[in-house]
Amino acid sequence: SPIDRWRPAAIGDDKETPVNWLTFAVQWLHVLLGITWFGYAISMHFLISPTLAQLPEDQGRITNSRLGEVGARVFPIVALLVLLLGILRGTVFGRIQSFEALTTPYGIVWLVALVLTIAIIVNGARFIGPLFAGLKDTPDYRGSIERLNSLTRIDLGLFTVVFTCMILMRFL
């Protein structure tokens, strides 16, 4: 039909191609961990932080510092796994098989996603994590919360670009 002519082949259209279960597992973990990381950032910024901002300062300090402690244990591992699985998915289990492949549209988008993911990790490790840790004792609690919100907005912007790259790579 005329519509089928314009429709890209979907995964599984070629019944002769077996599923590579290792690639599937790497992709599955990469996506799940990415959702966990990005979802945490979204929920913190739009749901949890505004609610915590309404608490009295002493309660906010305790709650935010506990959230920071959990985040400091969980998200360095999640972020590193997302990064490593993304590198594996793009290279060992993907299209980036040579340096020349990095100059293709797919390779350029992959590199943009890689660089921005590293920027998110650095922002979290260098700024967001220490700010969370310092909320318990900082003399300028409200100012620290505002800086944290600003840094989180930067993360959300970077995450949005990385997420867009992930979708775009499917079509390149």
Side-chain angles (χ1 to χ4, degrees), residues 37-38 41-42 44-45 49 116 119-133 135 143-160:
W37 191 16
F38 189 22
I42 291 169
M44 280 299 293
H45 186 74
S49 292
L116 294 182
I120 295 167
I121 291 170
V122 169
N123 189 41
R126 176 70 179 96
F127 301 109
I128 293 177
L131 256 176
F132 253 124
L135 285 176
S144 293
I145 291 292
E146 277 308 309
R147 283 190 295 285
L148 194 55
N149 285 333
S150 295
L151 290 165
T152 303
R153 282 191 291 275
I154 292 168
D155 261 8
L156 289 174
L158 294 173
F159 269 124
T160 301

Side-chain angles (χ1 to χ4, degrees), residues 15-32:
K15 301 297 181 199
E16 301 298 316
T17 305
V19 173
N20 180 325
W21 289 105
L22 188 54
T23 301
F24 176 86
V26 168
Q27 179 77 18
W28 190 88
L29 279 172
H30 178 65
V31 170
L32 178 66

Side-chain angles (χ1 to χ4, degrees), residues 3-19 170:
I3 292 174
D4 286 337
R5 230 181 345 189
W6 297 103
R7 183 181 67 86
I11 294 172
D13 277 357
D14 179 5
K15 301 297 181 199
E16 301 298 316
T17 305
V19 173
R170 168 62 179 94

Side-chain angles (χ1 to χ4, degrees), residues 11 20 22-31 81-97 106 110 166 169-170:
I11 294 172
N20 180 325
L22 188 54
T23 301
F24 176 86
V26 168
Q27 179 77 18
W28 190 88
L29 279 172
H30 178 65
V31 170
L81 286 173
V82 168
L83 179 66
L84 292 175
L85 290 168
I87 291 169
L88 285 173
R89 182 62 186 96
T91 58
V92 175
F93 301 104
R95 296 188 204 171
I96 311 295
Q97 300 293 316
Y106 181 92
W110 185 83
M166 298 297 108
M169 282 189 286
R170 168 62 179 94

